[in-house]
Amino acid sequence: MSLDISKITSPQLLLDKNICKRNIERMREKAFSKNLKLFPHFKTHQSWEVGKWCLDSGIDGIAVSSLKMAKYFAEAGGYTDITVSFPVNIREIDLINELAKKTNLTLLVNEEYSAKVLAHKLQSPVSIFIEVDSTYHRSGLGSEQTVKIEQILQSIESAAKMKFRGFYIHPGDSYHAPTIQEKAVIHNAALETLKWMKSKYGNDMTECRLGDTPNCSLMENFDGVDSIGPGNYVFYDYVQTQIGSCGVGDIAVCLATPVVSFNRNRNEVIVHGGAVHLSKDFLINEQGQKSFGLVVQIHENGWSSPISGTFVKSVSQEHGIIEMDNSLIDTLQPGDLLGILPVHSCLTADAMKQYRCLDGKIADHLEGQMSF
């Protein structure tokens, strides 16, 4: 069944199921070949439908970025091992207890105080990762913070309802490294940090997990790593093409936007598709200009390759302004559709809150509040 373009009357996020499933399978095969357990980070798609494609491929352990998301996928069913890959928020202890009763829940603990609160208030068993940091410097403990690490470990070990699982690291600065060589430096630093932490504080049962999409996509050495948790690989996006994680043909989502007006004296097309749909993430293109997305043509089988020399030059709340050669503008009329390959698919998906698959079916999103 082909896409019924006539039903697209406002901005909609299109999802190519075949590309998405291919991306899912490629990462699953890579993890299997490296003897790694794959815990895909569902913060990218936040969709039971997409999650089911992972489940169908044999993946039953996942990562999420919030307890709300953990609850959504726990209620959807099928997932036996859920990690909240975000430092635990102890104000949500009631929800933690609710989830721990019905799923194997793993939390990230970076603070001794948080560990002590959990030890006092947990009603059901949970597993604990200590988040560590090597070069990203967002959250997590540096290997030099030995006193703090030991205090957290002592709090975990003395608690009846907590079990130490291992160490987790997200080397997210790989997104900002333009070359494979620079990514390799970041990746290897993360590997060495995990190895050191395990040798000092762990044993054969201690799990070491690494979770960033660029290096999980590109690197081949995962020595010392037991599991990986990439997320953006299911969709990929414009950023990932620019840093070498994928090709344009691997991008599985596209924002369909109606053309509403033209400024031919400025070589501009105005579309209904702005910051509330795409987010305000941008890249600097080869011409040194801000680009808020690559522009493609929408057709019944999906979308074309990017239109040469054409990009989203600015966004406001609802407006998107596309720079395009006038010879191409002359082929358009108000009401035609143009597609935008997003800079950051996670943010675009979160903004749009649902997907239209190319067969016309609507796929859910957590924030669309589909009930099970």
Side-chain angles (χ1 to χ4, degrees):
M1 185 183 297
S2 59
L3 180 66
D4 187 350
I5 296 174
S6 68
K7 293 188 179 299
I8 301 176
T9 59
S10 59
Q12 291 193 11
L13 188 57
L14 306 180
L15 170 57
D16 189 316
K17 183 188 301 187
N18 292 331
I19 295 175
C20 185
K21 285 186 172 183
R22 186 181 70 205
N23 293 339
I24 289 169
E25 185 61 22
R26 184 189 300 123
M27 188 64 74
R28 190 199 67 81
E29 289 179 355
K30 181 169 187 177
F32 182 81
S33 72
K34 303 293 182 184
N35 198 29
L36 299 167
K37 178 78 173 178
L38 176 60
F39 287 83
H41 202 318
F42 279 13
K43 71 177 179 65
T44 294
H45 58 80
Q46 301 184 50
S47 168
W48 162 239
E49 182 71 20
V50 178
K52 187 176 183 300
W53 302 338
C54 294
L55 198 61
D56 290 344
S57 73
I59 297 167
D60 57 8
I62 64 172
V64 296
S65 56
S66 68
L67 286 162
K68 178 182 179 182
M69 201 180 301
K71 181 179 180 180
Y72 172 77
F73 285 107
E75 291 177 349
Y79 305 103
T80 60
D81 190 343
I82 300 178
T83 301
V84 182
S85 295
F86 187 86
V88 64
N89 174 12
I90 56 175
R91 296 181 71 93
E92 295 185 290
I93 186 64
D94 290 342
L95 182 51
I96 290 170
N97 282 324
E98 177 189 338
L99 288 169
K101 289 177 184 177
K102 54 190 177 185
T103 189
N104 295 324
L105 184 66
T106 299
L107 305 174
L108 264 60
V109 173
N110 299 347
E111 298 291 336
E112 182 192 12
Y113 183 82
S114 298
K116 288 183 173 179
V117 171
L118 291 174
H120 178 63
K121 294 188 175 182
L122 280 172
Q123 298 170 358
S124 299
V126 300
S127 298
I128 303 294
F129 272 125
I130 293 178
E131 184 183 11
V132 295
D133 174 52
S134 56
T135 56
Y136 190 23
H137 307 324
R138 180 180 67 179
S139 62
L141 302 175
S143 57
E144 75 283 357
Q145 295 179 270
T146 55
V147 173
K148 192 170 183 179
I149 293 166
E150 289 167 3
Q151 288 173 338
I152 295 172
L153 285 169
Q154 288 170 7
S155 295
I156 296 170
E157 290 167 1
S158 62
K161 301 295 185 182
M162 284 195 287
K163 178 183 178 181
F164 178 59
R165 181 163 183 169
F167 298 102
Y168 168 90
I169 189 167
H170 177 70
D173 42 339
S174 62
Y175 284 85
H176 309 296
T179 67
I180 291 181
Q181 290 77 14
E182 290 171 290
K183 287 182 181 62
V185 170
I186 294 167
H187 181 70
N188 291 333
L191 296 184
E192 291 303 312
T193 299
L194 288 172
K195 286 181 193 175
W196 188 89
M197 297 294 283
K198 184 170 183 175
S199 67
K200 185 170 179 64
Y201 301 111
N203 53 48
D204 290 342
M205 301 300 293
T206 303
E207 180 179 343
C208 289
R209 184 179 300 177
L210 180 146
D212 71 306
T213 295
N215 282 341
C216 287
S217 298
L218 291 168
M219 298 299 140
E220 296 298 328
N221 174 29
F222 291 87
D223 185 32
V225 175
D226 302 291
S227 58
I228 56 174
N232 204 333
Y233 75 96
V234 295
F235 290 164
Y236 286 121
D237 51 31
Y238 182 19
V239 166
Q240 300 284 347
T241 68
Q242 296 303 289
I243 60 178
S245 304
C246 68
V248 172
D250 297 315
I251 300 175
V253 289
C254 173
L255 183 70
T257 61
V259 172
V260 295
S261 187
F262 306 95
N263 284 313
R264 287 180 171 81
N265 60 322
R266 295 198 297 266
N267 298 93
E268 294 174 351
V269 179
I270 295 87
V271 295
H272 183 196
V276 297
H277 310 101
L278 285 167
S279 87
K280 287 193 173 183
D281 273 17
F282 65 87
L283 293 175
I284 302 299
N285 64 18
E286 294 178 354
Q287 291 72 42
Q289 300 167 295
K290 289 182 180 180
S291 173
F292 294 84
L294 298 173
V295 181
V296 297
Q297 293 179 331
I298 302 292
H299 52 70
E300 292 181 346
N301 295 315
W303 53 87
S304 70
S305 299
I307 303 170
S308 178
T310 303
F311 61 98
V312 182
K313 66 187 296 185
S314 70
V315 292
S316 53
Q317 184 162 334
E318 299 281 348
H319 296 70
I321 300 179
I322 294 172
E323 182 166 307
M324 178 181 286
D325 186 88
N326 271 331
S327 63
L328 294 174
I329 292 176
D330 289 340
T331 67
L332 297 173
Q333 297 291 340
D336 288 346
L337 291 176
L338 289 173
I340 300 171
L341 303 183
V343 171
H344 189 175
S345 61
C346 304
L347 293 181
T348 300
D350 193 63
M352 293 304 297
K353 298 178 173 50
Q354 70 172 22
Y355 310 91
R356 180 180 288 275
C357 298
L358 300 187
D359 60 6
K361 294 180 180 178
I362 299 299
D364 66 290
H365 186 282
L366 164 63
E367 296 301 334
Q369 291 301 309
M370 178 177 177
S371 59
F372 296 96

